[in-house]
Amino acid sequence: MSDNREIKSSVGYLTFKTRTAQSALPVENVRITVSGSEAGNTEPIVTVISGRNGNTERIALPTPPRMESMSPGFNGEPFSRYNVRAEAEGFYPSE
């Protein structure tokens, strides 16, 4: 069985919207850290900070190739998994 890190040659994108309870208000300066979720590969990949509107910039992350993941003989997962941690002053951290 091949290592998933070897077959991730496409790119997917994530953005985050940070809000207070029930999406009432945007939260500025939230530190969002994206890290790997595979055993032995949990190091941080990227950290972004939310802006005044509570949104982050778009970040690119490796994904399995779309065409291969749709093939009947594809042995990997047809998606990528990442861990996300959000931290901001005055709020409990969230994962």
Side-chain angles (χ1 to χ4, degrees), residues 16 18 27-34 44 46-51 54-56 84-89 91-95:
F16 296 92
T18 59
V27 181
E28 184 178 8
N29 294 322
V30 178
R31 178 186 171 113
I32 299 173
T33 303
V34 178
V46 64
T47 298
V48 293
I49 306 293
S50 65
N55 298 339
T56 66
V84 176
R85 180 175 177 87
E87 302 171 277
E89 188 175 325
F91 293 89
Y92 291 109
S94 180
E95 292 188 28

Side-chain angles (χ1 to χ4, degrees), residues 21-89:
Q22 299 180 0
S23 295
L25 299 169
V27 181
E28 184 178 8
N29 294 322
V30 178
R31 178 186 171 113
I32 299 173
T33 303
V34 178
S35 53
S37 66
E38 298 173 12
N41 183 30
T42 58
E43 293 296 315
I45 297 169
V46 64
T47 298
V48 293
I49 306 293
S50 65
R52 282 187 89 167
N53 63 2
N55 298 339
T56 66
E57 61 189 72
R58 184 173 81 155
I59 57 173
L61 295 165
T63 64
R66 176 183 264 179
M67 293 308 293
E68 287 184 28
S69 68
M70 294 170 55
S71 300
F74 181 69
N75 290 330
E77 293 180 327
F79 50 85
S80 295
R81 296 176 194 240
Y82 295 97
N83 292 324
V84 176
R85 180 175 177 87
E87 302 171 277
E89 188 175 325

